[in-house]
């Protein structure tokens, strides 16, 4: 991530975030600017050359108003940008395999085609699970997370969603940022809940049946720097660590995460579980 400093050659462009991606041996920066996504080639860490931009309402781009976050995914040797749009309450998928000619692939919108948790899509990330690719969107005004199957970027499919105060999810008020982590065959999402001063950990090993794994709350169990938590990242070594930036506390909370055990099915889509499926209890002793 790169933030704060104006990018050379873009005048007023001073993005609140920038996502980097490698395409064809070169590094490109994807940034938001005035209901647009700007693509810049990184000459080095301080010098960038603009190569293309796409804007809301032009050339089939319909979900770029109020760009709030950009993630990337590589699917079948093509590279895509996934743009979370806060004001459009949706996600725009863009083929950037040729960064000089980005093209609109598809889009999804809150309240349409089974998508119910995209109201002010605040953050987006991706995960590959059982050879399928998923986008996970943290939606601030829906107080939840929308999971989308984007294995075919031209035909995204709603997989599932989770909501604050339902089904064991207790800390998803005003989610601000989402990231994922994989350990063994288990995949988890970590979501910062700005409204709860907390982090919700979600088991997404089965993206069609996500479950609440645990919560980390400011002021509980020794956690003292999560008030106004905004973003989070992870480090995996011999142990798993998360680093969360807390705006109200003006600090960073570093935590070691002991991922809980989980039942894993050998059926790639346990929604359609059948007799004979094998369930394995996976856990680690820390």
């Amino acid at each position: 991530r790169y933030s704060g400093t104006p990018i050379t050659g873009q005048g007023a462009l001073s993005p609140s975030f920038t996502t980097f991606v490698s395409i064809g041996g070169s590094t490109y920066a994807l940034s938001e600017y005035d209901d647009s996504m700007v693509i810049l080639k990184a000459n080095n860490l301080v010098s960038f050359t603009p190569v293309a931009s796409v804007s809301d309402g032009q050339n089939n781009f319909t979900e770029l108003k109020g760009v709030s976050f950009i993630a990337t995914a590589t699917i079948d040797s093509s590279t895509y940008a996934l743009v979370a749009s806060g004001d459009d309450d949706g996600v725009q998928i863009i083929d950037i395999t040729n960064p000089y000619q980005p093209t609109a692939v598809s889009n999804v919108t809150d309240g349409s085609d089974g998508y119910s948790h995209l109201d002010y899509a605040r953050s987006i990330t991706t995960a590959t699970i059982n050879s399928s690719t998923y986008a996970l969107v943290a939606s601030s005004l829906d107080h939840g997370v929308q999971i989308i199957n984007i294995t075919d970027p031209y035909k995204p499919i709603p997989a599932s969603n989770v909501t604050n105060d339902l089904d064991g999810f207790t800390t998803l008020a005003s989610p601000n940022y989402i990231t994922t982590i994989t350990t063994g065959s288990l995949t988890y999402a970590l979501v910062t809940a700005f409204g709860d001063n907390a982090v919700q950990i979600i088991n997404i090993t089965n993206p069609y049946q996500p479950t609440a794994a645990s919560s980390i709350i400011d002021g509980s169990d020794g956690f003292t720097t999560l008030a106004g938590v905004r973003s989070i990242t992870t480090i995996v070594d011999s142990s798993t660590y998360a680093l969360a930036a807390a705006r109200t506390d003006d600090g960073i909370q570093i935590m070691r995460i002991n991922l809980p055990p989980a039942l894993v099915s050998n059926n790639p889509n346990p929604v359609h579980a059948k007799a004979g499926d094998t369930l394995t209890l996976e856990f680690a002793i820390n």
Side-chain angles (χ1 to χ4, degrees):
R1 303 297 180 198
Y2 171 94
S3 64
T5 303
I7 291 179
T8 301
Q10 286 297 296
L13 176 58
S14 181
S16 59
F17 65 86
T18 296
T19 298
F20 287 102
V21 61
S22 179
I23 304 174
S26 297
T27 300
Y28 296 86
L30 311 177
S31 294
E32 95 291 356
Y33 177 64
D34 194 21
D35 297 336
S36 302
M37 184 187 76
V38 180
I39 304 177
L40 309 104
K41 184 175 182 180
N43 305 314
N44 50 54
L45 287 179
V46 295
S47 175
F48 298 77
T49 301
V51 298
S53 65
V54 295
S55 299
D56 189 58
Q58 300 180 13
N59 300 319
N60 296 318
F61 292 96
T62 61
E63 298 289 326
L64 290 176
K65 186 174 178 59
V67 174
S68 52
F69 207 87
I70 304 170
T72 62
T74 299
I75 304 172
D76 294 333
S77 75
S78 294
T79 303
Y80 299 89
L82 294 94
V83 184
S85 168
D87 292 344
D88 272 330
D89 301 329
V91 175
Q92 180 79 61
I93 301 179
I94 306 170
D95 189 334
I96 57 170
T97 306
N98 179 356
Y100 292 80
Q101 292 183 329
T103 58
V105 168
S106 60
N107 61 74
V108 299
T109 307
D110 189 54
S112 299
D113 303 315
Y115 294 96
S116 59
H117 284 63
L118 291 174
D119 194 358
Y120 199 85
R122 182 66 184 85
S123 177
I124 187 169
T125 192
T126 61
T128 299
I129 303 171
N130 292 328
S131 300
S132 294
T133 304
Y134 297 87
L136 295 90
V137 185
S139 301
S140 291
L141 296 184
D142 274 323
H143 304 292
V145 173
Q146 178 78 59
I147 302 179
I148 308 169
N149 187 329
I150 59 167
T151 305
D152 181 352
Y154 290 82
K155 296 180 180 179
I157 301 170
S160 61
N161 58 72
V162 299
T163 308
N164 191 41
D165 292 332
L166 289 177
D167 301 318
F169 293 95
T170 58
T171 50
L172 278 176
S174 301
N176 193 83
Y177 193 93
I178 186 168
T179 189
T180 61
I181 187 169
T182 298
T183 174
S185 61
L186 305 178
T187 303
Y188 295 87
L190 287 77
V191 186
T192 60
F194 185 81
D196 280 321
N197 300 320
V199 175
Q200 178 79 61
I201 302 179
I202 307 171
N203 186 334
I204 59 168
T205 304
N206 176 4
Y208 292 85
Q209 293 180 333
T211 57
S214 59
S215 297
I216 304 167
I217 304 171
D218 189 57
S220 299
D221 303 316
F223 295 99
T224 60
T225 316
L226 287 174
V229 62
R230 296 295 294 269
S231 60
I232 191 168
T233 190
T234 57
I235 298 173
V236 179
D237 196 357
S238 56
S239 296
T240 301
Y241 295 89
L243 293 81
R247 180 174 182 175
T248 305
D249 275 328
D250 297 326
I252 296 174
Q253 179 76 62
I254 302 175
M255 60 197 88
R256 187 174 71 178
I257 298 178
N258 301 309
L259 296 172
L263 280 173
V264 181
S265 173
N266 70 332
N267 187 330
N269 185 1
V271 169
H272 304 294
K274 62 184 183 304
D277 286 353
T278 299
L279 292 176
T280 303
L281 180 63
E282 296 198 0
F283 62 95
I285 298 175
N286 192 322

